[in-house]
Structure formats: C-alpha cells, structure tokens
Amino acid sequence: MSQLTRRDFIQSALAGSVGLAGLTACGGGSSSSSEIGGTGGGGTGGGGSVINPILVVVNIDGGWDWLNVTPPISGANRMAYEAQRPTAKITNAVDIGSGVGLNPDFTGMDTLHGLGKIAWIMGLSMPNPNLSHFTASDLWSQGGTVGSSPVSLNGSGWLGRYADTAFSATNAIQGISALSSNPRMITGLQRNFIPLNANPSLTLMSGLRNYERGLRPPYESDLALLKNAYNLGFSTPTNDVSSRSAIETISAQEKSLYDAAVSLGGLTLRTPSVTYPTDLPINGEFFDQLKLVSTLIASNLPIQVYYCRLSGWDTHSNQSTAMRVLLRALGGGLKAFYQDLATINTPLGNAQDRVMIMTWSEFGRRLTENSGGTDHGTNSLSLCIGKNVKGGFYGEYPALNNPDLYGNMRYMSTSDYRQLYATVLDRWLNLAPSTTNNILGANYARFNFL
Amino acid sequence: MANLMPIASWTATDVQHFARRTGFGITPQSAAQVATRLPGPFIDEWIDGYSTAAMEGVLAERGDVVPVAFIAKLTVGEDVPAVVGDHGFLITGNDAWRNRISYAQAEWFFRMQYSPNQFQERLAVFWHVFFATAFEKVDSAILMKQQIDVFRSNGLGNFTDLLVSVSKDAAMTKWLDCVQNDATTNQIPNENYAREVLELFSLGVDNGYSQEDILSLAKALSGWSFYVHPSDWSQHPGNISDPSAGQPKRTIFTVYQGQGVPAGSRQWDYLFPHNNSLRKMHPSGASDATGGSATISFLGTTFDYSSALTGMAPGEHVLRHITVARPIQCSEFLSKRFLNHFVTPNYTAQDVSDFALVIRNNNFHIGTALKILFKSQYFFETDKRYCLINSPVSWMVQATRMLGFPLGVANAMNPRGFPAWRLLISEDANYDFNFLRGLSFALLNPLGPNGWADHDAWINPNTLRWRNYFASALALIERANANTMDFAIVPSDISQWLPHGGPTALDIYNQLIDLLQPAPIPTPVRDGWLSMLFGSTSTPISSGTLTSFEPKIRELVFLILICPQGQAH
C-alpha cells in the first residue's frame, strides 16, 4: 500500500473540481468509491441528492489526539511520528490505506470503513491557531471568515446561521441539542435549537423528583391555568428600560420551551434495536444522547440537525488509558447508532438513508508527547459517516517532519476546516451554494465525499 | 466614565439591589432596617463578613430535613453506610472516604442558604466559576470542598496571593495535571496548568503572553503537588486492603524534588511513595533540568526556575511575576469578570479600564477594590438594576432564603425545616435526574477549566424547564416520604411570606413582589394573573382566610419565580 504524500494531496487539491480520477483511493474497502484529497472547487455545483436529510453533529470535545487514532504507518511521517512519540506511539494500527493506520481501539470504524461509509477528512486546520481550547472551539463553531471575531458574527455559529436560513419560523423543533445547553455552533440569531439533556420528554411544568409525572394535586388541576399564566408572562413586552434586554432574552427562550413542550411532552425513550457498549468505565451519557437522537428521528418530527458531544479528550496526562476508553465509546457508540438507524422507518424513509454523522474536534495534539500525555496542538480530523457518504480520505495528511517552531502541524489551505462546512451545507443540507457561501462568508472549496 | 465615587445614602430598594448582587438577597424587613444606616459602613461590614458560628454549629450536627438513616432508605445501592447522628452529607475528617460530590454540593447549598456571611459564599461561587475545577477528574469531594475553602479564606485578599494559593491547592494540581508536570532531565513539561493560568486565570487569551511564556511557566511550576501524611488518611472501611481506597482528610502542598516524607505517607495518587521519598519532578539546578538549563524567559524577564526565594516554593517567584509584568492586562481581565458578574453585562471598555485602575491602585487587593465598586454610584445606577440574568444557583438560593425558614426555626422543627438539598442534587445512579446539570450549573463539576459564562448563557429552554421544576418543588410544596416520614423537600410556610395578610389579592401580590424581588412585572401580567387565580385584583383575602387561598397563593409565587422577570436580578 503506497503512502499518499503531501505532494499528492496538494496536487489533488489543485485538481479541484475537475475530479481526481487518477487518485482513486486505496482505502475504503471493496465497496468504497472514495477519492483522495478530493476538493471539488468552489460552490458551483451544490445540491445534495438526499431528500429530508438529517445531520448529526458529534463534538469530540477537548482536542483529540487523532494522530493516535489514524497514525501514519509508513514513510517519513511514520519516522517523525515515532521519533516524537517514543512511548505514546500506536504500534498496532491496522492499515486502512493511503499510509494511514487505524487504532484498533476505535472499534467499529474498521467495519464502516470497509463498507465505504466513512469519509476521513484529514488535517483540518485554521490559520494562526493559538492552541487555546476556547479560541479554537469558538472558531470551529463560528466557521467565520479569516479575521472574523465573535463580535462580527454576533456570537453565532455556522449551524446557527444555517438554522436562521433554513428553519421555519412556525415550527419550534427543527434543531436539537442532546446536551443541557446550546453550544455556539448551533447558536443562531433568529432560530433556536432545543436542548434536551439526553431526555426526549420536555415537560413544561412538573415537580422536581420524577419530573415526568407533572404537577401533583391540588396543582395538577390548574395546569392549563398555569400554562396560560406562564404564556402571558413571556409574551407581554416589558416597558422597564434597564431590564428589557435581559427580559427579552429570557422571554424568547421561555417561548421556545413552551412551544417545544407541546410536541415533546411525554415522549419516551425508544429502545434501540442494537446494543451500545456496556463494558466501558465511562458514564453512558454519550450513548444516551445517541438514543435520544434515534428516538426523535423515529418520532418523525421535522428535526434537521442534532448536536451531541463526547468530552474527555484533553489528554495532557494518562493518555493511553483515557484514549482507549474514549475511542471505544466513540467508535462503539457511532457504529451502534448507525446500525440502529437501519431499523427506523418513517413516512420520510429509512433513517440510515437520511442521516449523516459529522464529527469535529477543536484541534489535534502536539506531535511531541510529554510525560504521560500530549499537550495542545493544531489540525484536526473529522469523520463524516453515512450511507450516502463516499468513503475514503479527503483533505491532506500533515507533514509531521515539518512542524512549526513549537512542534505543531502547519496550516494547510487545502484542508481548511471551513471546506468541511461548505461541503455539508450545500451537498448534504441542500443549500444553494450561494447561500452556503453567504453563511460562511467566503467560497470555500468543497470536498467530494458527497 | 464609570462614576466610582461612593453613594452617600440609600433606600431599601438600593439595599435589596446590593444584597441580591453581592449575596442572595435579604428580606424587605431587613432591607428597611439596613436603609437607616449609612451605606459605607454597612457595605464594609457586609464584605468583611459576619460570624458563621451558629450556622457551623448546626451544620456540624445536621444539615438536611431527612435523617441519614432515611436517606439510606431512599437510595437503593447507596454504598455509604449510615453514620451516627442525623447528617446527610458528611465529607470531612474521618468521613472523607465517603467522597460523594452530591454531599459536597449539598453542603455548599446549605451554607449559601444559611450563612449570615452571604458575600463570602457569593464570592466563593465567583472564584469557583473563575478557577473552575471539576470533581469528575479530581475525584475527591473533600479536596473540592477544601478548594472552595481557599476561596472563602483568601478570596478577598491580594490576587497574586490567591493565584498562588490556588496553584498550590491539591484539587487544582490534580485537575490541570501539575502533579504530572516533570521538568527534570529528558522530560517534556506538561503545560496544561501553565496555559490556563495565563489564558483563564490571570491575563485572558492572547493577552500579553506567548507560547514560550507558557512553556517557561510550566517549567517553573513543575512538580507542584502534594502528599498525605499517614495520620491524615481516611480509609474506606469497606475496602481496607486497597491502600488507595480512601480520601485524605487534608493534604500537604509540596514540590516534588526527590525529598523524603514520613513513613506511610501517600503521594498525590494516594499510593505510597517508593522508599518514602517523592519523585524528582522539579530540578535543583541546570544539571538536572530538562534541556540542561534552568534559565527561562517569562514575560520578558529571565529567571532561574529551579531556585526558591525565601518563603516561597521553588518556581513561585515566576508565578508571582504575572501581575508585576502585566498589571494592565491582568487588572483589566479581572475587571471585566467582576463587572460582568456583579454589575452589568453592558459594561463599556472605559468602565473596564476605570475599575482596572482601581484594582491596580490598590495593589490587586480584591476586597478593597470590590468595596469601592460596591459603594459606587456606578453600581447603583438605574440602568444596572435587573440588567443581569441570575445564575441558577443564586436564583435558587435567593428563593429558598426568601421563602424558607430561618436557621433557628428550621433547626427546631420536626422534621427539620431544611431543604433536602442532598436529595435534590443527588448524583446517585438510582435517580434519573440531576437537576444541577439540567440547570447547566453543575457546581463543583464544570465541563472544563473555563467554567461557566454568566448572564444569558444561563438561559435556554432546557435550563428554564429545570428552573420551572425547582420553582414548583419550592412554591408548590412538593413532598416525599420515606420510612414513614413525610416531608416537604423544600419546606415553607405561607404565613411567613405575608406578614400583613391581605386585605386583597393585590396586597398579597405586592407583598410577594417585595419578598421575591423580580424585575418590574408589567401591569397587564399582574392583573391577568390575579384575575386567573383569584377572580380579580380586589378579591378580599384576609389573614383569617389565607389558608383557604394557600394553593392559589403558592401558584402565584410559582409564577413570579418562573416568569422572565423572576430570572433577572
């Protein structure tokens, strides 16, 4: 298996929209139709083929050491990798093509890769990274143009701006956060995601213990009255100047809660058709999030985007143990979820046909290990998983033998993280390319995994 | 220009504004009394603090409405056997091994509700948000509590001293990996803590430091860790064979330089050190420093990080250099955080600069600077009233302070009149809820070292529904029972809320507004609510008929707590 070189990647990127027939993937297994380094040029084509698509975003939170997820297995990159990671290097990676190995702890991904259902978007980078979780997360979340700041984007995220564009004003539930809050990536200016804290039921009023039971006597008989009174509270404008801004913020969110509770109140968690991992020393929150998503997909609500998160990847120390557990949770969870989707049929079709999973992590980690872990680094790896994804490798694997002054991977304009967003917006979520470009503030080359 | 000149007089309304922002609120009766005093001396007194002895006395014996034996009945699978006495959340001293985050959370809520020294607890919350540390990784309720104690004892002192104290705090050294930061021969330092010191704990991201400064500070703080003296260990009685099964009653900060410790001491991972000496992680000179040099450049000055100045730990002089080298950046970073938390989200760059100057002029003495801020015209200006969204913690504590029983009354009741904080926030697997997480404010367990953002970050449809549930538990007197004991999980008595009785529904409303202190509620909302609940604003309600109206009065309280105005403060 020949290693794909940095030069190959650059060439393939330059080839752009004319296609990359000469660089057909060696990864991806028998059914793969993957291409390597396939950036498809600017947004001129656009338009995905899946009707009523669903995007499930999975945040790999904390900056994952993707070099140990998909380590180089040969060539100059392998030499550099081994030199910088004398104890932390992965020695049992499985060759999945293009000089890339797969950490066997990332369970289930070998299967999906073999089926050609994973697009590995390599080396995703941003200009001038400062190695801060929070800056990197903010920039990944905003997906803004170079030099833009949270101020100029009004704190919105790229999927929040998508929601502003695509969600209807009259439907309260089109975007769901499986967390207890709405991260910046899904924060828009006009439309709201509903955070569900991994529980599908959204009861407006209830006691605290056994909270799905609703209010107790004698108050339960006044529920309609209390709902009306609550509605009166958030729908009546204030004329108090100093509190107005705060009150308007709260009122809008109370209205979202009120509207969403109409559809979600009393919804119960669906029993998955598959088994999620049970043998890991980790709480089951991530699996609960995925079960919530499959429940809501099965409920046939018009939800277009879901947001999930698996935290714990900030492995400054104890990396080998922590990564093993996290990778098994992530891989096992995603594979179970993907398989479960196949059993969900709604009037809009089979769920596996309609869903694409997109992972993101704010950065990769330092090439050089410290004593027991790795510190913050640059460049990341995203996975797009789905039945309609063209599996294989996209973007560019960084040159590990050419790090910057502090030992970090360099920015590559051929693997800009916003190319991923541009691809997802118009080739999965079916936006017109011009709308995508407007949301991102520029016309980024698309990858060809869709 | 922020007008930081002090106010000369104040009203009860001003007092309530002050107490909501710098504590968890005081009743209208107390506010009226305080308003008869000059603001300056009262604010000094409030900041300097009051005796907490009575509260500590009650807390030492009992802190929950539910006796612990009954709690055990409620928590199937609870691995913590009942203790002598009626305490629901012991985690200190010989009970340290119990190590439940819900105990530490409940203990803190009890203090917030009943401590007469409100500001101390409020400031502890501020510093916890600022130096956010999580049980999830520290894995020790007692160490988390001891970090909060650092904020209680040092939170009003010099900022550099506080930063040093936090850097030596055992929970922090575990949380951000200082315990694994080795800058001796051939080792690569762990830069996790050093980065967050500059980015989150002193200057702000990209605000006057470089990657080289991070590496230098990481070297300076290498080996900052702790050990546990044999007499300070609380062994888990159910697992006596595992030396690491237990928790320290207290820890001793030290810099790991290969020195000896008393036989039987435990190092930071609670395992016994080899040959009763600690690992060498901080060099004693150039010869055993990583890269062969103990000389570093930090914020423009050269240091020997292996050395220790008199009275300081090795490397401490480097940490103390931050406020010396970057006074403007540090003071402005602190100024923003203080203004956003205590005063207004709408501060201007000039406001930040003005209060930063106060911080610098007072040599980073936090208490002195905050007294100036809290006495200022700026703090009391009309546009500062109700412009902040209350955090879920201070929202809950304020509500329980206003609606619950005073400490002495609660302690004399049978069953006790304390809220069942321990049950409300239990992390036990057998409960399918953890309402602090639902509220996006898992006290003592943030998702990351950046803590929580204030103001509008507290509010979304999910957190609001959890606020609704809590308000319901409190106002609509949710009950639970165990072992034949029936109790309100957040006890209250409506006659306490309404000292004047009626005579009309409108009077009831006005008294509740005075008590709960929401932002101004529009008249159409008020009239609509009173119409729905009582028929009209003028419906007669007297002291004698209060009981018959209790459900409606409680519903009115519920609505005030959960309406948009009830979340602002």
Side-chain angles (χ1 to χ4, degrees):
Chain A
M1 196 67 66
S2 66
Q3 188 200 13
L4 191 71
T5 65
R6 174 181 166 82
R7 190 173 174 184
D8 290 335
F9 272 113
I10 291 173
Q11 284 180 339
S12 63
L14 289 172
S17 59
V18 299
L20 300 160
L23 291 167
T24 301
C26 35
S30 58
S31 65
S32 171
S33 58
S34 59
E35 298 163 308
I36 301 171
T39 46
T44 53
S49 57
V50 175
I51 300 168
N52 298 309
I54 293 169
L55 177 66
V56 178
V57 177
V58 174
N59 177 206
I60 300 170
D61 180 39
W64 73 332
D65 186 28
W66 67 271
L67 279 180
N68 273 14
V69 179
T70 50
I73 56 169
S74 59
N77 266 354
R78 181 70 193 184
M79 289 175 64
Y81 172 77
E82 292 197 349
Q84 299 301 322
R85 297 198 166 186
T87 64
K89 65 177 179 284
I90 300 299
T91 56
N92 59 344
V94 178
D95 185 349
I96 57 170
S98 300
V100 177
L102 177 64
N103 186 326
D105 285 323
F106 203 8
T107 48
M109 296 301 101
D110 52 345
T111 306
L112 295 183
H113 178 74
L115 293 169
K117 303 306 177 194
I118 304 179
W120 308 84
I121 326 291
M122 315 295 296
L124 290 171
S125 56
M126 60 178 60
N128 306 312
N130 69 359
L131 310 189
S132 158
H133 288 295
F134 318 109
T135 304
S137 287
D138 269 356
L139 290 168
W140 266 90
S141 296
Q142 292 169 67
T145 54
V146 176
S148 65
S149 70
V151 174
S152 64
L153 294 171
N154 292 311
S156 68
W158 67 279
L159 280 171
R161 297 194 295 281
Y162 164 76
D164 288 344
T165 301
F167 289 4
S168 107
T170 55
N171 196 314
I173 313 169
Q174 293 170 87
I176 293 289
S177 162
L179 316 175
S180 64
S181 60
N182 286 331
R184 189 189 294 281
M185 188 175 282
I186 53 174
T187 299
L189 302 177
Q190 281 105 36
R191 300 287 180 265
N192 211 9
F193 277 62
I194 306 294
L196 284 178
N197 208 25
N199 190 312
S201 176
L202 191 74
T203 307
L204 181 64
M205 291 174 184
S206 174
L208 193 53
R209 290 167 60 81
N210 301 317
Y211 58 90
E212 287 167 29
R213 261 180 34 190
L215 299 177
R216 275 70 162 176
Y219 305 103
E220 65 180 352
S221 60
D222 275 351
L223 183 59
L225 180 157
L226 292 170
K227 284 183 176 176
N228 286 339
Y230 186 63
N231 191 336
L232 179 65
F234 66 70
S235 55
T236 305
T238 181
N239 54 12
D240 179 61
V241 176
S242 64
S243 66
R244 180 176 296 149
S245 173
I247 298 304
E248 287 176 350
T249 297
I250 302 164
S251 296
Q253 297 297 324
E254 290 199 349
K255 182 177 188 325
S256 272
L257 165 63
Y258 184 90
D259 292 344
V262 172
S263 301
L264 295 174
L267 201 63
T268 55
L269 209 58
R270 164 184 169 276
T271 302
S273 63
V274 296
T275 305
Y276 281 85
T278 55
D279 58 343
L280 299 173
I282 193 171
N283 73 44
E285 274 182 24
F286 177 59
F287 307 138
D288 291 343
Q289 293 170 27
L290 296 173
K291 292 172 192 172
L292 163 73
V293 174
S294 62
T295 295
L296 292 170
I297 291 171
S299 74
N300 203 34
L301 289 162
I303 299 164
Q304 301 174 39
V305 181
Y306 295 88
Y307 191 96
C308 303
R309 178 167 64 204
L310 179 61
S311 297
W313 300 85
D314 192 19
T315 49
H316 289 275
S317 61
N318 196 31
Q319 172 162 309
S320 60
T321 304
M323 281 278 285
R324 189 172 304 126
V325 174
L326 287 165
L327 279 176
R328 287 173 179 270
L330 181 64
L334 291 180
K335 186 188 175 195
F337 175 70
Y338 180 78
Q339 290 178 324
D340 194 22
L341 292 175
T343 67
I344 299 173
N345 290 295
T346 70
L348 295 177
N350 181 267
Q352 209 176 51
D353 290 327
R354 297 174 56 209
V355 170
M356 185 178 80
I357 302 160
M358 186 203 89
T359 74
W360 74 278
S361 189
E362 67 264 35
F363 49 59
R365 305 193 74 81
R366 193 79 45 84
L367 182 53
T368 308
E369 66 181 85
N370 65 28
S371 44
T374 49
D375 288 317
H376 299 182
T378 58
N379 299 41
S380 195
L381 164 70
S382 279
L383 277 60
C384 285
I385 302 172
K387 196 171 177 182
N388 285 295
V389 165
K390 295 175 196 162
F393 299 98
Y394 300 87
E396 184 174 352
Y397 205 109
L400 303 185
N401 56 0
N402 181 31
D404 70 10
L405 181 63
Y406 295 105
N408 288 307
M409 296 171 265
R410 295 176 185 274
Y411 172 68
M412 299 175 293
S413 62
T414 47
S415 284
D416 189 293
Y417 69 107
R418 289 157 295 196
Q419 292 176 243
L420 171 64
Y421 300 163
T423 308
V424 169
L425 283 172
D426 62 22
R427 297 190 182 179
W428 185 250
L429 294 173
N430 298 334
L431 286 189
S434 59
T435 309
T436 291
N437 298 342
N438 191 38
I439 285 174
L440 297 176
N443 184 2
Y444 294 99
R446 274 59 165 171
F447 296 119
N448 283 328
F449 63 85
L450 290 170
Chain B
M1 191 90 177
N3 183 351
L4 295 171
M5 295 299 290
I7 59 169
S9 62
W10 57 357
T11 66
T13 303
D14 297 330
V15 173
Q16 287 200 315
H17 168 70
F18 169 77
R20 282 194 307 274
R21 292 292 181 82
T22 65
F24 306 101
I26 60 177
T27 63
Q29 294 79 14
S30 297
Q33 287 177 0
V34 171
T36 64
R37 298 181 52 188
L38 288 173
F42 178 80
I43 290 171
D44 285 342
E45 181 183 301
W46 179 272
I47 303 298
D48 293 337
Y50 304 94
S51 168
T52 59
M55 184 264 300
E56 298 283 1
V58 172
L59 186 55
E61 295 179 351
R62 181 68 182 269
D64 199 298
V65 61
V66 192
V68 72
F70 293 4
I71 290 174
K73 298 283 184 189
L74 290 168
T75 53
V76 180
E78 172 68 84
D79 63 354
V80 181
V83 290
V84 176
D86 284 330
H87 209 299
F89 35 78
L90 284 177
I91 52 166
T92 57
N94 291 330
D95 291 296
W97 64 270
R98 294 176 187 278
N99 194 28
R100 305 297 286 248
I101 182 180
S102 57
Y103 292 15
Q105 291 169 327
E107 195 255 9
W108 197 357
F109 270 99
F110 184 92
R111 286 177 182 278
M112 286 190 276
Q113 184 179 358
Y114 290 117
S115 174
N117 201 357
Q118 294 191 36
F119 180 66
Q120 184 182 43
E121 298 305 322
R122 183 68 189 244
L123 190 66
V125 174
F126 172 85
W127 286 126
H128 174 49
V129 169
F130 187 95
F131 290 111
T133 304
F135 174 86
E136 183 89 12
K137 182 169 170 183
V138 175
D139 192 25
S140 171
I142 180 65
L143 294 190
M144 291 304 304
K145 174 181 158 42
Q146 287 172 354
Q147 186 185 78
I148 304 306
D149 286 341
V150 169
F151 302 146
R152 292 190 178 103
S153 57
N154 298 8
L156 276 173
N158 174 274
F159 176 70
T160 299
D161 291 341
L162 176 63
L163 181 61
V164 170
S165 299
V166 170
S167 302
K168 294 178 177 178
D169 171 71
M172 182 59 88
T173 61
K174 287 181 78 173
W175 168 233
L176 292 179
D177 298 312
C178 252
V179 293
Q180 304 215 47
N181 179 13
D182 188 338
T184 58
T185 315
N186 295 330
Q187 296 295 321
I188 305 289
N190 185 313
E191 64 185 46
N192 195 13
Y193 183 63
R195 175 180 303 282
E196 305 308 8
V197 164
L198 295 169
E199 183 174 317
L200 298 174
F201 303 158
S202 63
L203 299 179
V205 63
D206 288 340
N207 195 23
Y209 62 90
S210 67
Q211 174 65 18
E212 184 181 357
D213 293 320
I214 290 169
L215 288 170
S216 294
L217 187 58
K219 290 177 182 174
L221 300 179
S222 60
W224 281 41
S225 186
F226 64 91
Y227 73 96
V228 184
H229 189 275
S231 63
D232 289 336
W233 185 252
S234 168
Q235 179 72 26
H236 194 305
N239 191 6
I240 55 174
S241 60
D242 180 353
S244 66
Q247 287 291 322
K249 300 175 201 172
R250 73 181 190 109
T251 58
I252 299 168
F253 166 77
T254 196
V255 178
Y256 278 36
Q257 289 190 293
Q259 69 272 45
V261 286
S265 294
R266 288 169 168 80
Q267 54 195 17
W268 70 269
D269 57 6
Y270 305 151
L271 297 173
F272 295 101
H274 183 60
N275 292 335
N276 292 321
S277 62
L278 301 170
R279 183 178 149 195
K280 188 178 188 81
M281 299 172 77
H282 191 98
S284 46
S287 61
D288 58 358
T290 182
S293 169
T295 301
I296 53 173
S297 169
F298 180 63
L299 303 180
T301 300
T302 301
F303 294 94
D304 175 353
Y305 75 91
S306 67
S307 67
L309 301 191
T310 305
M312 295 187 194
E316 183 177 328
H317 55 303
V318 180
L319 181 62
R320 288 184 174 275
H321 186 62
I322 295 172
T323 46
V324 175
R326 299 287 185 270
I328 293 176
Q329 291 93 330
C330 184
S331 60
E332 293 193 342
F333 179 68
L334 290 171
S335 174
K336 268 184 211 168
R337 296 295 293 262
F338 283 125
L339 295 184
N340 194 47
H341 185 85
F342 289 109
V343 188
T344 176
N346 308 313
Y347 56 81
T348 65
Q350 186 64 49
D351 296 341
V352 170
S353 174
D354 291 344
F355 185 55
L357 182 61
V358 170
I359 293 172
R360 293 199 299 280
N361 285 346
N362 288 281
N363 298 316
F364 285 87
H365 193 277
I366 299 303
T368 310
L370 287 180
K371 283 180 180 176
I372 292 170
L373 179 65
F374 295 149
K375 291 175 188 173
S376 70
Q377 305 274 348
Y378 176 75
F379 180 82
F380 287 97
E381 283 165 354
T382 305
D383 67 353
K384 307 301 183 295
R385 310 296 170 103
Y386 295 110
C387 62
L388 275 169
I389 296 174
N390 213 348
S391 85
V393 166
S394 49
W395 175 79
M396 288 188 292
V397 174
Q398 182 182 319
T400 47
R401 272 185 174 259
M402 295 304 114
L403 297 170
F405 296 106
L407 181 68
V409 176
N411 197 37
M413 293 169 68
N414 184 22
R416 298 292 204 276
F418 310 125
W421 287 116
R422 160 71 172 67
L423 293 181
L424 291 172
I425 57 186
S426 175
E427 294 259 352
D428 292 347
N430 298 291
Y431 290 128
D432 63 352
F433 68 88
N434 178 320
F435 88 126
L436 291 183
R437 284 194 196 182
L439 290 162
S440 275
F441 199 176
L443 213 58
L444 304 178
N445 212 11
L447 281 173
N450 56 333
W452 300 267
D454 272 317
H455 189 53
D456 52 3
W458 296 124
I459 295 292
N460 66 54
N462 180 63
T463 59
L464 284 167
R465 64 137 154 181
W466 287 93
R467 289 192 185 215
N468 286 2
Y469 303 164
F470 178 78
S472 154
L474 171 54
L476 308 184
I477 202 78
E478 183 174 342
R479 302 189 74 80
N481 59 74
N483 211 15
T484 72
M485 175 184 170
D486 179 84
F487 57 94
I489 59 174
V490 191
S492 64
D493 176 353
I494 64 164
S495 64
Q496 269 199 136
W497 310 341
L498 302 162
H500 309 304
T504 66
L506 183 58
D507 295 307
I508 296 291
Y509 174 89
N510 286 335
Q511 287 177 74
L512 293 175
I513 293 296
D514 286 347
L515 183 65
L516 295 170
Q517 307 165 45
I521 294 174
T523 304
V525 176
R526 178 197 72 184
D527 292 350
W529 286 352
L530 294 180
S531 172
M532 289 180 202
L533 292 169
F534 302 103
S536 81
T537 56
S538 56
T539 299
I541 301 174
S542 67
S543 299
T545 59
L546 265 187
T547 308
S548 62
F549 283 100
E550 176 164 347
K552 299 299 182 193
I553 291 169
R554 287 187 172 277
E555 287 176 354
L556 181 56
V557 168
F558 174 61
L559 291 169
I560 294 169
L561 289 174
I562 66 173
C563 75
Q565 287 79 8
Q567 328 291 316
H569 79 148

